[in-house]
Amino acid sequence: MNPIDFMAPAMFAALVVFLLLGLPVAFSLAALGLISGQIAIEMGLFPPQFMANLPYRVFGIVSNELLLSIPFFTLMGAILERSGLAEDLLEGFAQLFGGLPGGLAYAVIVVGAILGAITGTVAASVIAMGVIALPIMMRYGYDNRLATGVIAASGTITQVIPPSLVLIVLADQLGRSVGDMYLGAVGPSFAQIAIFLLFIFVMSLIRPASMPPLPPEARSLHGLALAKKVAMGVLPSSILIFVVLGTIFMGLATPTEAGAMGVVGAIGLAGLHRRLNWKMVREGMESTMSITVMVIFILIGATVFTLVFQGVDGGVWVEHLFTSVGADDPVTFLLLVNIMIFVLAFFLDFFEIAFIVIPLLVPMANKLGIDLVWFGVLICVNMQTSFMHPPFGFALFYLRGIAPKSIKSGDIYLGAIPWVALQLLLVGILIFFPGIVTGFLDKPQSGDLQNIEIKLDDSEDTENADDPQKAKDDKTKEEDPMDYFKRK
């Protein structure tokens, strides 16, 4: 047996063991890649010069301007989390929907979607919604599992709604523009919100006692006062959404520039709500720094691993792995990939999945003719679940950290199960109805190449039609390459 045939699966198996042992992902990836590279060189699987590609790849990461948008969007979300905007939004929509069974749940989903469109981070949405909405829902008799589930799910919508950090990372890994990824995610974002709202509506019919309407005395705003309250939250949010997303979609700004403008807008909103102070800015910068450093180190470790993995024909092994189980058509491939992503999400967070797994799947997706924007958005929707199920469901961790002790951890985990199923439902819908993603993208120009006709100015040909020799002499003169140098 050729040694190269078992080197790739051995590397993948060792990576799984390292991750199950709980070792730091970034350093595990780098160490495993370097050790495997040394072994491959000793075995003659590739020459030592192959590893000279590594410094260029690392330099490509740290000089990638696209990744510069990550700290901007992270800082924007950290500031907005503390700016008071979430309170205004939730109070207005709670008053607007409060008279309906499940009204507070409707408000949480809508506000979660709006926050997702201006923060881009799950932590900011879940923590803000949990601190504000959970005590109100408990006070008015909402079921604990329903309340915690809808708050966690509304926070994870942030992962799909632009300007999602996940979409930025996937755009980098897939080699597609962030603008296309954002446009492709518009349809799934609205679909996910609609599925969540429909679920609450059905549950309000089946179990109205688990989500009672607000009593009349709690709905103090009506008419013009209510409209003003809703507008006070929606108008600044709409302006910030346009500044961030509108400028990207219209081609007026790059994601990095839009992120920088978003930070300025978030600081302005915090000042408008009289929440802007040095402590808030410092905490936001510290949070941004830790997340950005984590992303860069994981990405560097992943590029060391994938360089060696591809050097030992890891891409060929992955392709054979899928074809051996019958995944040689797009639908079967996508179904198996999404099952694998869902399982990996129990153990890895979305950054690790994006940096480790996606580069291994892209060649196979390209070979099957799968649109990579559709593929990336599909994976992004699936990776929502990584925030919602144990043992590393970070949305549940955030919620546990701010929920009162009267809510059991078991209620938080059990309350998340229906919402995970709804997220997987959207994955299935997108597999069989890709137009939800691709319908928002610019269609490439197409035409019949056989019928293209190129017309030239034939005035000179007409003049020389009676004198073929003159025409030949003129053509020779025009084609004389020395004329160019003589003119010079």
Side-chain angles (χ1 to χ4, degrees), residues 246-283:
T247 54
I248 295 176
F249 291 157
M250 296 171 65
L252 300 176
T254 66
T256 302
E257 293 166 345
M261 291 189 294
V263 171
V264 175
I267 292 174
L269 282 177
L272 186 66
H273 289 83
R274 299 181 181 179
R275 299 275 187 98
L276 184 62
N277 54 67
W278 173 243
K279 179 182 178 183
M280 183 189 76
V281 174
R282 181 181 177 83
E283 289 175 351

mmCIF file of all heavy atoms in Angstrom, residues 246-283:
data_model
loop_
_atom_site.group_PDB
_atom_site.id
_atom_site.type_symbol
_atom_site.label_atom_id
_atom_site.label_comp_id
_atom_site.label_asym_id
_atom_site.label_seq_id
_atom_site.Cartn_x
_atom_site.Cartn_y
_atom_site.Cartn_z
ATOM 1 N N GLY A 246 -26.413 48.718 3.163
ATOM 2 C CA GLY A 246 -26.783 49.423 1.937
ATOM 3 C C GLY A 246 -25.574 49.853 1.135
ATOM 4 O O GLY A 246 -25.545 49.719 -0.092
ATOM 5 N N THR A 247 -24.552 50.339 1.817
ATOM 6 C CA THR A 247 -23.356 50.785 1.104
ATOM 7 C C THR A 247 -22.607 49.620 0.463
ATOM 8 O O THR A 247 -21.996 49.776 -0.598
ATOM 9 C CB THR A 247 -22.419 51.537 2.064
ATOM 10 O OG1 THR A 247 -22.150 50.712 3.215
ATOM 11 C CG2 THR A 247 -23.029 52.843 2.515
ATOM 12 N N ILE A 248 -22.671 48.440 1.099
ATOM 13 C CA ILE A 248 -22.033 47.260 0.505
ATOM 14 C C ILE A 248 -22.802 46.799 -0.723
ATOM 15 O O ILE A 248 -22.234 46.550 -1.792
ATOM 16 C CB ILE A 248 -21.939 46.114 1.539
ATOM 17 C CG1 ILE A 248 -21.006 46.502 2.692
ATOM 18 C CG2 ILE A 248 -21.429 44.832 0.877
ATOM 19 C CD1 ILE A 248 -20.926 45.471 3.795
ATOM 20 N N PHE A 249 -24.137 46.683 -0.598
ATOM 21 C CA PHE A 249 -24.956 46.203 -1.703
ATOM 22 C C PHE A 249 -24.909 47.154 -2.903
ATOM 23 O O PHE A 249 -24.979 46.723 -4.052
ATOM 24 C CB PHE A 249 -26.406 46.037 -1.252
ATOM 25 C CG PHE A 249 -26.611 44.903 -0.281
ATOM 26 C CD1 PHE A 249 -27.702 44.885 0.567
ATOM 27 C CD2 PHE A 249 -25.713 43.859 -0.208
ATOM 28 C CE1 PHE A 249 -27.902 43.840 1.458
ATOM 29 C CE2 PHE A 249 -25.887 42.815 0.679
ATOM 30 C CZ PHE A 249 -26.989 42.802 1.521
ATOM 31 N N MET A 250 -24.789 48.462 -2.637
ATOM 32 C CA MET A 250 -24.751 49.442 -3.718
ATOM 33 C C MET A 250 -23.353 49.634 -4.294
ATOM 34 O O MET A 250 -23.159 50.408 -5.231
ATOM 35 C CB MET A 250 -25.288 50.783 -3.218
ATOM 36 C CG MET A 250 -26.755 50.751 -2.804
ATOM 37 S SD MET A 250 -27.289 52.272 -1.989
ATOM 38 C CE MET A 250 -27.107 53.454 -3.322
ATOM 39 N N GLY A 251 -22.372 48.937 -3.714
ATOM 40 C CA GLY A 251 -21.009 49.054 -4.208
ATOM 41 C C GLY A 251 -20.315 50.338 -3.815
ATOM 42 O O GLY A 251 -19.307 50.710 -4.412
ATOM 43 N N LEU A 252 -20.841 51.023 -2.795
ATOM 44 C CA LEU A 252 -20.247 52.292 -2.371
ATOM 45 C C LEU A 252 -19.125 52.102 -1.360
ATOM 46 O O LEU A 252 -18.331 53.017 -1.135
ATOM 47 C CB LEU A 252 -21.326 53.199 -1.754
ATOM 48 C CG LEU A 252 -22.500 53.563 -2.667
ATOM 49 C CD1 LEU A 252 -23.527 54.389 -1.898
ATOM 50 C CD2 LEU A 252 -22.014 54.332 -3.895
ATOM 51 N N ALA A 253 -19.087 50.930 -0.712
ATOM 52 C CA ALA A 253 -18.070 50.701 0.315
ATOM 53 C C ALA A 253 -17.724 49.220 0.356
ATOM 54 O O ALA A 253 -18.554 48.361 0.043
ATOM 55 C CB ALA A 253 -18.572 51.164 1.688
ATOM 56 N N THR A 254 -16.488 48.942 0.723
ATOM 57 C CA THR A 254 -16.075 47.558 0.967
ATOM 58 C C THR A 254 -16.583 47.135 2.340
ATOM 59 O O THR A 254 -16.966 47.987 3.163
ATOM 60 C CB THR A 254 -14.547 47.441 0.924
ATOM 61 O OG1 THR A 254 -14.004 48.191 2.034
ATOM 62 C CG2 THR A 254 -13.990 47.976 -0.374
ATOM 63 N N PRO A 255 -16.602 45.821 2.650
ATOM 64 C CA PRO A 255 -17.022 45.395 3.994
ATOM 65 C C PRO A 255 -16.206 46.040 5.102
ATOM 66 O O PRO A 255 -16.748 46.381 6.159
ATOM 67 C CB PRO A 255 -16.813 43.875 3.947
ATOM 68 C CG PRO A 255 -16.970 43.516 2.510
ATOM 69 C CD PRO A 255 -16.398 44.673 1.743
ATOM 70 N N THR A 256 -14.909 46.216 4.875
ATOM 71 C CA THR A 256 -14.069 46.843 5.902
ATOM 72 C C THR A 256 -14.483 48.296 6.121
ATOM 73 O O THR A 256 -14.608 48.757 7.271
ATOM 74 C CB THR A 256 -12.594 46.772 5.491
ATOM 75 O OG1 THR A 256 -12.227 45.404 5.291
ATOM 76 C CG2 THR A 256 -11.709 47.374 6.565
ATOM 77 N N GLU A 257 -14.708 49.026 5.036
ATOM 78 C CA GLU A 257 -15.136 50.423 5.157
ATOM 79 C C GLU A 257 -16.515 50.520 5.791
ATOM 80 O O GLU A 257 -16.770 51.394 6.636
ATOM 81 C CB GLU A 257 -15.144 51.072 3.777
ATOM 82 C CG GLU A 257 -13.750 51.219 3.166
ATOM 83 C CD GLU A 257 -13.784 51.536 1.680
ATOM 84 O OE1 GLU A 257 -14.859 51.366 1.059
ATOM 85 O OE2 GLU A 257 -12.746 51.935 1.132
ATOM 86 N N ALA A 258 -17.424 49.614 5.408
ATOM 87 C CA ALA A 258 -18.764 49.624 5.996
ATOM 88 C C ALA A 258 -18.703 49.308 7.486
ATOM 89 O O ALA A 258 -19.438 49.888 8.292
ATOM 90 C CB ALA A 258 -19.658 48.609 5.276
ATOM 91 N N GLY A 259 -17.820 48.386 7.861
ATOM 92 C CA GLY A 259 -17.659 48.077 9.278
ATOM 93 C C GLY A 259 -17.147 49.263 10.065
ATOM 94 O O GLY A 259 -17.595 49.527 11.190
ATOM 95 N N ALA A 260 -16.196 50.000 9.479
ATOM 96 C CA ALA A 260 -15.674 51.196 10.153
ATOM 97 C C ALA A 260 -16.774 52.243 10.335
ATOM 98 O O ALA A 260 -16.899 52.868 11.407
ATOM 99 C CB ALA A 260 -14.510 51.775 9.351
ATOM 100 N N MET A 261 -17.597 52.434 9.305
ATOM 101 C CA MET A 261 -18.714 53.381 9.429
ATOM 102 C C MET A 261 -19.730 52.882 10.466
ATOM 103 O O MET A 261 -20.345 53.677 11.184
ATOM 104 C CB MET A 261 -19.382 53.573 8.068
ATOM 105 C CG MET A 261 -18.525 54.312 7.062
ATOM 106 S SD MET A 261 -19.408 54.767 5.549
ATOM 107 C CE MET A 261 -19.740 53.159 4.848
ATOM 108 N N GLY A 262 -19.903 51.551 10.532
ATOM 109 C CA GLY A 262 -20.812 50.993 11.531
ATOM 110 C C GLY A 262 -20.352 51.270 12.950
ATOM 111 O O GLY A 262 -21.170 51.539 13.832
ATOM 112 N N VAL A 263 -19.041 51.210 13.171
ATOM 113 C CA VAL A 263 -18.501 51.524 14.504
ATOM 114 C C VAL A 263 -18.797 52.974 14.862
ATOM 115 O O VAL A 263 -19.223 53.287 15.987
ATOM 116 C CB VAL A 263 -16.980 51.254 14.548
ATOM 117 C CG1 VAL A 263 -16.387 51.776 15.853
ATOM 118 C CG2 VAL A 263 -16.699 49.770 14.409
ATOM 119 N N VAL A 264 -18.588 53.873 13.907
ATOM 120 C CA VAL A 264 -18.886 55.296 14.151
ATOM 121 C C VAL A 264 -20.373 55.469 14.456
ATOM 122 O O VAL A 264 -20.759 56.208 15.376
ATOM 123 C CB VAL A 264 -18.480 56.145 12.934
ATOM 124 C CG1 VAL A 264 -18.900 57.600 13.130
ATOM 125 C CG2 VAL A 264 -16.977 56.058 12.707
ATOM 126 N N GLY A 265 -21.241 54.777 13.690
ATOM 127 C CA GLY A 265 -22.677 54.858 13.941
ATOM 128 C C GLY A 265 -23.060 54.310 15.302
ATOM 129 O O GLY A 265 -23.926 54.870 15.993
ATOM 130 N N ALA A 266 -22.434 53.199 15.707
ATOM 131 C CA ALA A 266 -22.727 52.611 17.021
ATOM 132 C C ALA A 266 -22.310 53.555 18.145
ATOM 133 O O ALA A 266 -23.033 53.718 19.142
ATOM 134 C CB ALA A 266 -22.002 51.277 17.154
ATOM 135 N N ILE A 267 -21.163 54.199 17.982
ATOM 136 C CA ILE A 267 -20.718 55.172 18.991
ATOM 137 C C ILE A 267 -21.695 56.337 19.045
ATOM 138 O O ILE A 267 -22.037 56.845 20.125
ATOM 139 C CB ILE A 267 -19.290 55.643 18.673
ATOM 140 C CG1 ILE A 267 -18.301 54.498 18.860
ATOM 141 C CG2 ILE A 267 -18.904 56.829 19.549
ATOM 142 C CD1 ILE A 267 -16.886 54.822 18.427
ATOM 143 N N GLY A 268 -22.183 56.768 17.872
ATOM 144 C CA GLY A 268 -23.165 57.851 17.846
ATOM 145 C C GLY A 268 -24.461 57.477 18.541
ATOM 146 O O GLY A 268 -25.040 58.281 19.283
ATOM 147 N N LEU A 269 -24.931 56.225 18.330
ATOM 148 C CA LEU A 269 -26.159 55.774 19.009
ATOM 149 C C LEU A 269 -25.954 55.692 20.512
ATOM 150 O O LEU A 269 -26.850 56.045 21.289
ATOM 151 C CB LEU A 269 -26.583 54.412 18.463
ATOM 152 C CG LEU A 269 -27.296 54.404 17.103
ATOM 153 C CD1 LEU A 269 -27.594 52.971 16.672
ATOM 154 C CD2 LEU A 269 -28.590 55.195 17.178
ATOM 155 N N ALA A 270 -24.788 55.201 20.922
ATOM 156 C CA ALA A 270 -24.513 55.143 22.364
ATOM 157 C C ALA A 270 -24.514 56.537 22.974
ATOM 158 O O ALA A 270 -25.040 56.760 24.076
ATOM 159 C CB ALA A 270 -23.170 54.448 22.608
ATOM 160 N N GLY A 271 -23.937 57.508 22.238
ATOM 161 C CA GLY A 271 -23.969 58.892 22.727
ATOM 162 C C GLY A 271 -25.375 59.448 22.754
ATOM 163 O O GLY A 271 -25.746 60.191 23.681
ATOM 164 N N LEU A 272 -26.196 59.092 21.758
ATOM 165 C CA LEU A 272 -27.583 59.548 21.709
ATOM 166 C C LEU A 272 -28.381 59.057 22.910
ATOM 167 O O LEU A 272 -29.259 59.764 23.429
ATOM 168 C CB LEU A 272 -28.233 59.071 20.407
ATOM 169 C CG LEU A 272 -29.646 59.574 20.092
ATOM 170 C CD1 LEU A 272 -29.630 61.081 19.860
ATOM 171 C CD2 LEU A 272 -30.219 58.863 18.877
ATOM 172 N N HIS A 273 -28.078 57.814 23.356
ATOM 173 C CA HIS A 273 -28.759 57.253 24.519
ATOM 174 C C HIS A 273 -28.050 57.594 25.834
ATOM 175 O O HIS A 273 -28.395 57.057 26.880
ATOM 176 C CB HIS A 273 -28.871 55.731 24.386
ATOM 177 C CG HIS A 273 -29.849 55.286 23.336
ATOM 178 N ND1 HIS A 273 -29.513 55.204 22.015
ATOM 179 C CD2 HIS A 273 -31.147 54.912 23.424
ATOM 180 C CE1 HIS A 273 -30.553 54.780 21.317
ATOM 181 N NE2 HIS A 273 -31.561 54.608 22.141
ATOM 182 N N ARG A 274 -27.028 58.455 25.743
ATOM 183 C CA ARG A 274 -26.271 58.892 26.924
ATOM 184 C C ARG A 274 -25.645 57.721 27.669
ATOM 185 O O ARG A 274 -25.592 57.690 28.899
ATOM 186 C CB ARG A 274 -27.175 59.708 27.870
ATOM 187 C CG ARG A 274 -27.723 60.979 27.202
ATOM 188 C CD ARG A 274 -28.590 61.774 28.151
ATOM 189 N NE ARG A 274 -29.110 62.976 27.480
ATOM 190 C CZ ARG A 274 -29.914 63.860 28.068
ATOM 191 N NH1 ARG A 274 -30.287 63.678 29.336
ATOM 192 N NH2 ARG A 274 -30.342 64.912 27.393
ATOM 193 N N ARG A 275 -25.165 56.745 26.899
ATOM 194 C CA ARG A 275 -24.501 55.582 27.485
ATOM 195 C C ARG A 275 -23.003 55.558 27.151
ATOM 196 O O ARG A 275 -22.303 54.660 27.584
ATOM 197 C CB ARG A 275 -25.132 54.286 26.945
ATOM 198 C CG ARG A 275 -26.607 54.096 27.258
ATOM 199 C CD ARG A 275 -26.795 53.466 28.612
ATOM 200 N NE ARG A 275 -28.184 53.137 28.861
ATOM 201 C CZ ARG A 275 -28.715 51.925 28.701
ATOM 202 N NH1 ARG A 275 -27.961 50.936 28.262
ATOM 203 N NH2 ARG A 275 -29.978 51.707 28.967
ATOM 204 N N LEU A 276 -22.564 56.514 26.345
ATOM 205 C CA LEU A 276 -21.180 56.484 25.883
ATOM 206 C C LEU A 276 -20.242 56.930 26.998
ATOM 207 O O LEU A 276 -20.359 58.028 27.528
ATOM 208 C CB LEU A 276 -21.022 57.404 24.666
ATOM 209 C CG LEU A 276 -19.643 57.407 23.997
ATOM 210 C CD1 LEU A 276 -19.299 56.034 23.459
ATOM 211 C CD2 LEU A 276 -19.602 58.459 22.878
ATOM 212 N N ASN A 277 -19.290 56.067 27.342
ATOM 213 C CA ASN A 277 -18.274 56.398 28.318
ATOM 214 C C ASN A 277 -17.036 55.550 28.041
ATOM 215 O O ASN A 277 -17.071 54.594 27.268
ATOM 216 C CB ASN A 277 -18.773 56.176 29.751
ATOM 217 C CG ASN A 277 -19.302 54.773 29.975
ATOM 218 O OD1 ASN A 277 -18.551 53.802 29.939
ATOM 219 N ND2 ASN A 277 -20.612 54.662 30.190
ATOM 220 N N TRP A 278 -15.932 55.923 28.694
ATOM 221 C CA TRP A 278 -14.669 55.247 28.421
ATOM 222 C C TRP A 278 -14.717 53.781 28.830
ATOM 223 O O TRP A 278 -14.128 52.916 28.170
ATOM 224 C CB TRP A 278 -13.534 55.952 29.140
ATOM 225 C CG TRP A 278 -12.231 55.214 29.034
ATOM 226 C CD1 TRP A 278 -11.516 54.670 30.046
ATOM 227 C CD2 TRP A 278 -11.510 54.925 27.825
ATOM 228 N NE1 TRP A 278 -10.387 54.060 29.560
ATOM 229 C CE2 TRP A 278 -10.358 54.195 28.191
ATOM 230 C CE3 TRP A 278 -11.731 55.205 26.479
ATOM 231 C CZ2 TRP A 278 -9.428 53.750 27.265
ATOM 232 C CZ3 TRP A 278 -10.814 54.753 25.543
ATOM 233 C CH2 TRP A 278 -9.670 54.039 25.937
ATOM 234 N N LYS A 279 -15.416 53.446 29.926
ATOM 235 C CA LYS A 279 -15.495 52.054 30.376
ATOM 236 C C LYS A 279 -16.150 51.180 29.305
ATOM 237 O O LYS A 279 -15.683 50.073 29.014
ATOM 238 C CB LYS A 279 -16.288 51.978 31.680
ATOM 239 C CG LYS A 279 -16.433 50.554 32.215
ATOM 240 C CD LYS A 279 -17.275 50.514 33.482
ATOM 241 C CE LYS A 279 -17.452 49.079 33.955
ATOM 242 N NZ LYS A 279 -18.327 48.988 35.162
ATOM 243 N N MET A 280 -17.247 51.685 28.707
ATOM 244 C CA MET A 280 -17.949 50.909 27.690
ATOM 245 C C MET A 280 -17.057 50.694 26.472
ATOM 246 O O MET A 280 -16.977 49.582 25.924
ATOM 247 C CB MET A 280 -19.232 51.625 27.270
ATOM 248 C CG MET A 280 -20.072 50.859 26.269
ATOM 249 S SD MET A 280 -21.432 51.833 25.607
ATOM 250 C CE MET A 280 -20.544 52.866 24.466
ATOM 251 N N VAL A 281 -16.367 51.739 26.047
ATOM 252 C CA VAL A 281 -15.490 51.621 24.879
ATOM 253 C C VAL A 281 -14.345 50.655 25.172
ATOM 254 O O VAL A 281 -13.977 49.822 24.332
ATOM 255 C CB VAL A 281 -14.943 53.002 24.479
ATOM 256 C CG1 VAL A 281 -13.920 52.877 23.358
ATOM 257 C CG2 VAL A 281 -16.086 53.915 24.048
ATOM 258 N N ARG A 282 -13.778 50.741 26.370
ATOM 259 C CA ARG A 282 -12.661 49.856 26.722
ATOM 260 C C ARG A 282 -13.106 48.401 26.744
ATOM 261 O O ARG A 282 -12.409 47.521 26.229
ATOM 262 C CB ARG A 282 -12.090 50.269 28.089
ATOM 263 C CG ARG A 282 -10.898 49.419 28.517
ATOM 264 C CD ARG A 282 -10.372 49.838 29.890
ATOM 265 N NE ARG A 282 -9.277 48.986 30.315
ATOM 266 C CZ ARG A 282 -8.010 49.164 29.942
ATOM 267 N NH1 ARG A 282 -7.691 50.185 29.170
ATOM 268 N NH2 ARG A 282 -7.071 48.354 30.375
ATOM 269 N N GLU A 283 -14.270 48.119 27.353
ATOM 270 C CA GLU A 283 -14.767 46.746 27.389
ATOM 271 C C GLU A 283 -15.029 46.219 25.980
ATOM 272 O O GLU A 283 -14.738 45.059 25.677
ATOM 273 C CB GLU A 283 -16.051 46.685 28.227
ATOM 274 C CG GLU A 283 -15.820 46.875 29.712
ATOM 275 C CD GLU A 283 -17.134 46.916 30.482
ATOM 276 O OE1 GLU A 283 -18.210 46.967 29.830
ATOM 277 O OE2 GLU A 283 -17.087 46.904 31.731
#
